[in-house]
Amino acid sequence: MGAGGDASWWATINALAAAHPLVTLVLVLAGLYMAREAVGVLIDSVFVQAARILEDFASETRKLAASMQDEARATLVQMQREEFANEMASRQKELMAVLDRFTALDEKYKPVIKALGKAGERGPGKASNRALMTLAAEIAAADDRFSKHIDYVKSNEKILQAVHGEAVYTFSPFIRFFFASLFIPLIMLGGVLNFFLIKRPLDTLFAESGYAFAGSATLSEVSAATIIVMEAVIGFFFLESMRITKVLPNFHELLPRTRAVWASAFFAILVSFSVIEGSLAIWREELIALDAAVETGELIDFGGAPMLFQVILGVLMPFLLALIGIPLETFLKNARVVVLFLAAAGLSLIALPLAVGSVAINFTGEVIAATFNVATSVPNAIAGLAMRAWRSVRASRGRPA
Amino acid sequence: MTRPTPSRLFIAALAGLALLAGCERREPPPPGAVFVLYDTSKTYAANKRATLDSSKEIAKELRPGDRFAFTKIGECSFGQNNVMLDVDMPLREDFAARSKLDLMESIDGLARRLRSENTTDITGALWEVRRQTDSADYQPLVVVIFSDLDEDVAGSACQGGRDALPRLDGARVILADISEIQGDRVDPTRYFERIDSWRTRLEEAGAAEVLTIAGSKSRLRAAVGGTLGG
């Protein structure tokens, strides 16, 4: 029969449907009834599965956000502990120094006390009186220093206990990160200004050297940029060796004397850079004077003010650029916590539409299923009645239903 | 730290070579040249001081490496003897500034050296510019013509080859302080027709741009400076 048979069957149905609208309705209901299982499977496989997948994504995202937040909190607690530990270490050093002071006073005034003991009832002489008063003053001063540090420990006792116990947020990494992010571009702006100031005299020096590196950077531009970057790098190492910043462990592990030698060397290099910039400033002023001479046809004396301004600016620049190490350290230390918190917040935000999408898809599937059930309720009822009638007929004939 | 296997070392060496390749020394861009052509005919004689002052303003716009030449337009303008000044600016900025000061003094000194001549051979002067710039690639080439544009070679020995202008491909020509001649006062359209005719001829000869600037040293300086500066 094949294709010819199918075609004639379809043509018969079409002819019947065209004959009467009721026939069409019956055919549609029969079709829906026969397709009920297929539609059920479709809804189950597409909508329910899709909703489940989205829900899984949402819950994974939430878990990731929670773990990031926990890590951020742990890092924050650790940073606070380190800060307090540093503070306490420096106070402890101070207290030890005060105790040493007391010991030294004890040694210093032993003869005076001995003399007083010998004087006995005669009472202390003028010299001993003066010595006693000086001793009292020095002890008072040392005691003052001592009590200042003890007061700090007493007043911060609760915070110190809390830091070692639970998490206490006594500073905001966001505020520190914000200020570091603000200061770094400001200092870099100073570097950019410096670049343009020193570029012109270096242009003169490297006029015949052509272009270097890819693109159109001249050798003078590369040199100026190198000088500025080296000033910032040497300044950073200087701050490290002075323990003002504590980013690299290499300098912290050195002996104090070795560290002092390095600090002196870096400071000397910074001073050399100052001299270089000062001389470049003088050179620049000469070029400006030449430009003015070309413009007016005669040499003009601008006086000392422009030269002084440029020289001072040039001399100060390396030290200003060196300060970039301090906000850079704050930036690096707080960046991790800030990024983790923000990433956790971002992921939580992403989880929300995923969860909503999952619910929406589930709901859509249920609506379609309910609509389909409503549509097939009539044929379902007819089929149910037919099944019951058939069973009762079979039962009445004595055969198993 | 990963172990430096031979293949990794090779890749690192390749990367290093690539970096070094970027460090090639490149030459600076080609220099520019400014040729000032000054008409020494009697009809333009009154403009000598103004022309020299304008030339000094133009000289202030020269960049390190540029060339400046002052050529007179007179009788038989094609010839090395017509080039009154020819200076190349040093590449160093401070040397170039000192060179400019010397150049401006030299331009002042031209006042005594320039003598009026009977005929006007503008085409010959342009051929001289072509000869001077033939062997070099000046980017840009600026030709500033101070003249009344009334070419007249009748009676001079140099009349041949003046029908066509030399090729001035890419040159920027500035017609500066074009003065009027006697007939222009009667009929001003002759003045503009003369300028238009020269403009057409110069553009046909390949000039990239032909500007007309009259009476303003600052505009002339800005035009030359803008052209040289790109």
Side-chain angles (χ1 to χ4, degrees):
Chain A
M1 236 169 123
D6 288 341
S8 65
W9 179 74
W10 187 243
T12 310
I13 290 183
N14 272 338
L16 281 172
H20 204 280
L22 196 61
V23 172
T24 314
L25 181 65
V26 166
L27 285 170
V28 164
L29 288 175
L32 285 173
Y33 180 76
M34 284 189 288
R36 70 190 187 286
E37 274 188 34
V39 169
V41 164
L42 180 73
I43 289 171
D44 198 37
S45 63
V46 172
F47 287 93
V48 171
Q49 289 302 321
R52 199 168 293 153
I53 289 168
L54 279 179
E55 184 52 46
D56 286 344
F57 272 135
S59 78
E60 286 301 314
T61 310
R62 274 192 290 264
K63 276 188 210 157
L64 188 60
S67 76
M68 276 183 171
Q69 223 166 8
D70 291 339
E71 198 181 323
R73 274 201 201 99
T75 312
L76 198 54
V77 167
Q78 186 60 33
M79 280 165 67
Q80 284 183 124
R81 281 187 184 159
E82 271 174 27
E83 225 173 79
F84 270 106
N86 290 339
E87 178 69 29
M88 291 312 297
S90 69
R91 299 242 171 214
Q92 188 184 17
K93 220 165 132 183
E94 210 24 47
L95 286 170
M96 295 306 294
V98 169
L99 288 174
D100 289 339
R101 178 79 181 131
F102 279 133
T103 312
L105 284 174
D106 188 40
E107 286 300 317
K108 187 177 167 187
Y109 287 97
K110 258 192 184 137
V112 174
I113 307 293
K114 223 174 175 179
L116 273 175
K118 280 188 184 155
E121 285 176 2
R122 276 186 284 119
K126 264 193 197 159
S128 295
N129 237 350
R130 272 201 302 274
L132 273 175
M133 283 174 70
T134 314
L135 171 64
E138 286 183 337
I139 288 175
D143 188 51
D144 199 39
R145 269 170 76 189
F146 188 81
S147 42
K148 221 187 314 186
H149 299 298
I150 295 292
D151 286 344
Y152 172 83
V153 173
K154 274 193 189 154
S155 62
N156 288 294
E157 198 183 330
K158 285 205 173 65
I159 295 174
L160 290 169
Q161 279 173 357
V163 162
H164 282 280
E166 307 153 22
V168 171
Y169 307 126
T170 58
F171 69 84
S172 167
F174 289 92
I175 291 174
R176 291 185 183 190
F177 184 76
F178 170 75
F179 275 107
S181 316
L182 191 63
F183 287 128
I184 289 172
L186 289 179
I187 296 175
M188 281 168 68
L189 207 59
V192 168
L193 171 68
N194 202 16
F195 170 82
F196 286 112
L197 289 176
I198 67 174
K199 181 180 164 300
R200 200 173 163 192
L202 288 174
D203 262 340
T204 310
L205 194 62
F206 295 118
E208 289 164 38
S209 299
Y211 287 66
F213 301 109
S216 56
T218 59
L219 193 54
S220 61
E221 285 169 350
V222 172
S223 311
T226 305
I227 288 174
I228 287 168
V229 165
M230 288 314 299
E231 284 172 3
V233 166
I234 296 293
F236 176 72
F237 282 132
F238 172 67
L239 293 174
E240 280 288 309
S241 56
M242 292 292 287
R243 280 200 169 172
I244 295 170
T245 57
K246 293 184 179 70
V247 177
L248 304 171
N250 313 55
F251 285 102
H252 309 159
E253 289 157 13
L254 289 174
L255 294 170
R257 200 167 163 185
T258 320
R259 232 176 355 95
V261 168
W262 277 106
S264 311
F266 288 134
F267 186 74
I269 296 172
L270 273 180
V271 168
S272 311
F273 272 122
S274 281
V275 171
I276 289 169
E277 294 242 5
S279 53
L280 284 172
I282 293 170
W283 194 349
R284 185 170 59 246
E285 187 53 33
E286 284 175 4
L287 288 174
I288 291 170
L290 269 173
D291 277 351
V294 165
E295 200 56 46
T296 57
E298 56 187 17
L299 286 168
I300 296 177
D301 180 22
F302 289 111
M307 177 90 78
L308 191 65
F309 148 71
Q310 294 199 72
V311 169
I312 290 175
L313 196 65
V315 163
L316 286 178
M317 269 303 170
F319 297 101
L320 291 173
L321 282 170
L323 292 175
I324 201 167
I326 299 172
L328 195 63
E329 186 198 20
T330 314
F331 183 88
L332 290 170
K333 280 192 171 159
N334 291 283
R336 186 158 177 240
V337 174
V338 167
V339 166
L340 280 172
F341 270 127
L342 290 176
L347 284 172
S348 306
L349 274 176
I350 289 169
L352 180 64
L354 287 175
V356 167
S358 158
V359 166
I361 288 172
N362 223 0
F363 181 69
T364 310
E366 282 174 9
V367 162
I368 292 173
T371 311
F372 192 76
N373 285 339
V374 162
T376 58
S377 59
V378 168
N380 262 339
I382 293 169
L385 279 172
M387 281 300 291
R388 270 205 290 278
W390 186 68
R391 282 195 194 111
S392 68
V393 161
R394 281 182 74 87
S396 68
R397 283 183 189 173
R399 285 177 188 158
Chain B
M1 185 72 181
T2 52
R3 270 190 61 226
T5 60
S7 55
R8 283 182 191 141
L9 278 171
F10 178 66
I11 290 166
L14 271 182
L17 272 175
L19 197 65
L20 280 174
C23 299
E24 61 188 83
R25 180 167 177 265
R26 291 188 196 152
E27 296 306 313
V34 179
F35 278 79
V36 172
L37 275 48
Y38 167 62
D39 188 347
T40 54
S41 66
K42 289 186 173 67
T43 47
Y44 201 74
N47 296 67
K48 183 156 76 168
R49 188 67 252 167
T51 303
L52 292 177
D53 289 342
S54 299
S55 302
K56 281 159 62 176
E57 291 295 310
I58 290 169
K60 290 175 187 172
E61 288 298 319
L62 294 169
R63 304 165 304 173
D66 286 344
R67 181 182 178 185
F68 178 89
F70 190 99
T71 309
K72 70 176 168 69
I73 300 171
E75 190 172 340
C76 293
S77 305
F78 180 76
Q80 183 67 41
N81 57 310
N82 292 300
V83 181
M84 312 291 290
L85 278 176
D86 193 358
V87 175
D88 282 306
M89 292 288 120
L91 286 174
R92 271 181 66 138
E93 196 186 330
D94 47 355
F95 289 175
R98 291 195 175 95
S99 193
K100 276 188 212 175
L101 287 169
D102 293 337
L103 174 60
M104 286 197 281
E105 267 185 41
S106 304
I107 291 172
D108 278 332
L110 285 173
R112 290 186 304 277
R113 292 171 56 200
L114 288 167
R115 298 270 178 268
S116 290
E117 297 191 19
N118 293 325
T119 55
T120 310
D121 177 18
I122 303 172
T123 309
L126 288 169
W127 276 106
E128 182 57 31
V129 169
R130 164 75 191 273
R131 197 256 295 264
Q132 294 287 338
T133 57
D134 219 8
S135 55
D137 175 31
Y138 291 109
Q139 294 282 349
L141 170 62
V142 183
V143 180
V144 187
I145 303 176
F146 291 91
S147 172
D148 51 15
L149 294 182
D150 181 27
E151 188 156 52
D152 170 28
V153 292
S156 90
C158 305
Q159 295 185 36
R162 263 63 177 173
D163 301 325
L165 295 180
R167 291 303 305 169
L168 298 167
D169 294 316
R172 282 163 167 80
V173 181
I174 301 175
L175 304 172
D177 293 340
I178 308 299
S179 66
E180 66 280 1
I181 56 178
Q182 205 166 6
D184 295 343
R185 292 198 184 96
V186 171
D187 182 6
T189 57
R190 288 179 53 179
Y191 171 81
F192 291 102
E193 277 166 13
R194 195 163 69 250
I195 291 177
D196 285 340
S197 148
W198 272 100
R199 179 178 286 121
T200 310
R201 286 180 71 192
L202 287 162
E203 283 170 357
E204 279 168 8
E209 197 183 12
V210 181
L211 288 176
T212 311
I213 294 175
S216 170
K217 288 196 195 57
S218 56
R219 277 185 54 216
L220 176 61
R221 182 178 169 177
V224 173
T227 309
L228 283 175

